[in-house]
Amino acid sequence: MVYLGLLVLLLALIVGWLMNLFSLPGNWLIVAATALFAYAAPDGGQFDITWTAVLVILGLAIVGEIVEFAAGAVGAARVGGSRRGALMAIVGSMIGGLTGAVLGLPVPLIGPLLGAVVFAGVGALVGAMLGEAWKGRQLQESWQVGQAAFWGRLLGTLAKTLIASAMVVIAAVAALVDGF
């Protein structure tokens, strides 16, 4: 039964990591799966995660959210973007990420992942431009905010995915190494 729990944990860690590429809350799946495993696994067993490791992973998830939000917000704010543009960039990013995952890019094996990341950036660009145009801004201003949203989205996704990588490694090591 413990091996099944370990397998489910490892699958949840991978799915959580991948979810970040689609602008979905993957880091929170990693936190939840790790906490559930720490709660359910027998203390002192062959596979056990300490609550200290869970708290470290929780802290990293919070940092990941702050970094992702800050990257997009700083980029858009730097060029004078509005809240409406930022909100539309978030919506566009989610739609773009899911579309990119379905359509993918013509790269074997990693095409859907690359498509999700690139299309999420393009979705942020288009969403921000629509939000700014809806607010009454000129095309040039909307384009600048859109570009900032694009780069902010890409950098935020990269940073959050790197943090998710650290979370996955910590959780896997904690489950597999006794006393971590």
Side-chain angles (χ1 to χ4, degrees):
M1 192 65 159
V2 175
Y3 288 107
L4 178 62
L6 183 63
L7 178 63
V8 170
L9 171 67
L10 294 176
L11 287 173
L13 295 176
I14 293 167
V15 169
W17 185 87
L18 290 171
M19 285 172 62
N20 286 310
L21 300 176
F22 301 105
S23 301
L24 296 171
N27 286 358
W28 299 111
L29 175 61
I30 294 170
V31 170
T34 305
L36 183 61
F37 189 84
Y39 175 75
D43 288 337
Q46 183 180 5
F47 306 109
D48 184 21
I49 295 178
T50 65
W51 287 104
T52 303
V54 173
L55 290 174
V56 168
I57 291 168
L58 174 64
L60 286 172
I62 292 168
V63 169
E65 294 299 323
I66 291 169
V67 167
E68 182 184 38
F69 177 75
V74 167
R78 186 176 49 94
V79 295
S82 67
R83 283 188 227 180
R84 185 178 297 167
L87 179 62
M88 293 293 289
I90 292 169
V91 172
S93 179
M94 285 191 259
I95 293 170
L98 293 172
T99 302
V102 171
L103 298 178
L105 291 177
V107 178
L109 298 176
I110 61 170
L113 296 177
L114 290 175
V117 172
V118 171
F119 278 58
V122 171
L125 180 140
V126 171
M129 286 185 68
L130 288 173
E132 295 302 319
W134 183 10
K135 188 115 171 125
R137 300 242 173 132
Q138 297 297 319
L139 180 62
Q140 182 61 30
E141 291 174 303
S142 297
W143 173 249
Q144 287 176 341
V145 173
Q147 283 182 316
F150 173 85
W151 289 110
R153 180 76 216 158
L154 286 182
L155 292 175
T157 298
L158 175 64
K160 187 175 178 182
T161 303
L162 288 173
I163 291 169
S165 299
M167 293 168 62
V168 167
V169 168
I170 291 168
V173 169
L176 299 172
V177 175
D178 191 29
F180 183 76

